[in-house]
Amino acid sequence: MPDASPPPPSPAGVVLAGTHAAVVLGLCAVLCLAGAVWPPSPLTRVGYWYAGGAVLAVATVAAVVWRHHPRTPLVAVLLGIAVGAAMVAVCRTAAGVVTTSLGLVVAGQAAALLGSRRLARGLLLLVVVTLAGAMVAAPVPFRPASWVVLAVMTVVTSELVTYLLSRLRELATTDDLTGVLTRAAFDERAAAVVARTTRDGRPVSLVCLDVDDFKEVNDTQGHQAGDDVLVRLVDAWRGTLGRHDVIGRRGGDEFAVVLAGRTAEDAEVWALQADAVRAPGDPTWSHGVAQARRDEPVREVLARADAALYARKGDRMAEGLA
């Protein structure tokens, strides 16, 4: 089956971007400095809070400078965990330990915004373990119940954020009728596949697909019948694709496929194989093929495949009129 699931977020698509990380770090720096200027307790070691605020302020500037770097959000979360743990470890009251630990809870939630479920869960585990170590290191007696409550809160809220983001990403990137990628999601995934494949020196081809006489199906049999036709055709196409191939709906009855590792000739063979499994009675479809050149933008490859598609449709119309 093809890899038609929503694309993994690219650096540009990560929810917690570098600019967001800078804002969060800046806010934490302000809160740390506020805790030093207006200490919540006479026992507060304001020097540590000034130091924490200074570290976060420097990190904020760094995050702004490197806001476009894909690792900036991750570094920001790790730094937030480290500073948060240090602040918890120097608290001298039980209330201060619990209150300051909420910063680590927020860091665990922020981990869910990095886009990778595996990375988020790894950071979540780091937060839970670090929180326990910081609470043990604090000069007040360690209260396991407090740690359990905070740990459960961190895990539950982080998993909830991860689930909601996953659902939102799925809704935003998946065509609700056929289950393939939407146009924007396909363009993003196609660009990544084409760039990676051509960089490795392997061929990659794009195929544009268009259902023939689809309007006639809608006009004579109804839109539900038209929807059923699209679903059957897409299922047939998907059944002939490889694991690294990508399929998306570009609008109406127009679709596109990325065939990784295949030349234009291979793509033509794929089109014949896909047409062979078309359900009896379903309309035919036309296709156009273009093999990507090294460093060629995907939009240009698609334009060439699209031109080939409409040239083929024009030939079919000419044959029908002859």
Side-chain angles (χ1 to χ4, degrees), residues 152-220:
V152 170
M153 181 189 303
T154 304
V155 172
V156 170
T157 56
S158 181
E159 286 294 316
L160 179 60
V161 171
T162 300
Y163 170 75
L164 291 175
L165 286 176
S166 176
R167 286 291 297 147
L168 289 173
R169 190 177 295 116
E170 180 182 351
L171 292 173
T173 60
T174 306
D175 177 57
D176 58 353
L177 175 64
T178 61
V180 300
L181 298 176
T182 60
R183 178 168 185 155
F186 172 82
D187 289 349
E188 181 180 357
R189 175 75 73 87
V193 172
V194 169
R196 182 176 62 251
T197 307
T198 55
R199 187 171 56 247
D200 293 342
R202 297 186 297 124
V204 57
S205 297
L206 272 72
V207 184
C208 286
L209 310 164
D210 184 88
V211 182
D212 299 325
D213 303 319
F214 184 66
K215 184 176 185 301
E216 182 178 343
V217 174
N218 281 331
D219 291 344
T220 59

Side-chain angles (χ1 to χ4, degrees), residues 50-64:
Y50 275 121
V55 170
L56 291 171
V58 172
T60 300
V61 175
V64 171

Side-chain angles (χ1 to χ4, degrees), residues 288-314:
V289 172
Q291 183 173 334
R293 307 183 184 103
R294 188 176 179 85
D295 298 327
E296 182 181 19
V298 167
R299 64 178 181 278
E300 294 182 9
V301 188
L302 281 169
R304 290 196 290 115
D306 207 39
L309 163 67
Y310 283 97
R312 193 182 298 265
K313 288 183 75 74

